[in-house]
Amino acid sequence: MALAAGPLLHQADGAAGKLAVLLAAIATLSAFPVMCAVRVLRMRVRAWPPRGTTGQRLLLEGLPVATYGVAALVFLAFGWTVGAIALGVLGGGSLWWREARKDALRSESQATLKTLGHAE
């Protein structure tokens, strides 16, 4: 983000220099999700929820990730200020979504454990 929002992009000489810095920023930002995906695949970790169809699971897991793509498109279409606001709002919403799901799963697990504990 420092490449995209920092003074280097604004102080670059000419359109070619600005384009080079912008492309470097995009490459750097896209490297992080790629590294995460490679690590998950190498560790053979699958974080799919146990219930639902494949489409439902993709929606639940893909929606938070898609918000960052939407924020990037907003940034490209409307500029720095609107893109930063969109990233903040969508990133915060994505974080809330993930934490709410995690809390719900934790509550469900605790309820299941209590039920099993009482059954014994």
Side-chain angles (χ1 to χ4, degrees):
M1 290 304 295
L3 284 174
L8 185 61
L9 181 63
H10 300 290
Q11 294 174 352
D13 291 331
K18 287 185 180 186
L19 180 62
V21 172
L22 186 60
L23 289 176
I26 291 170
T28 304
L29 288 172
S30 63
F32 178 71
V34 169
M35 288 177 11
C36 290
V38 167
R39 180 167 183 193
V40 165
L41 292 174
R42 286 183 63 207
M43 294 177 65
R44 300 186 193 285
V45 173
R46 302 294 184 259
W48 294 111
R51 289 180 241 131
T53 65
T54 301
Q56 290 170 333
R57 293 183 302 195
L58 283 173
L59 176 67
L60 287 174
E61 294 297 321
L63 190 60
V65 175
T67 60
Y68 294 105
V70 170
L73 292 175
V74 169
F75 162 74
L76 292 173
F78 298 105
W80 299 106
T81 304
V82 177
I85 291 169
L87 180 62
V89 169
L90 293 173
S94 174
L95 179 62
W96 173 81
W97 173 272
R98 301 283 298 182
E99 291 299 313
R101 287 190 62 239
K102 186 175 76 173
D103 290 343
L105 289 173
R106 184 181 319 128
S107 297
E108 185 179 313
S109 297
Q110 289 175 349
T112 302
L113 287 174
K114 284 181 182 179
T115 302
L116 292 174
H118 291 296
E120 292 179 356

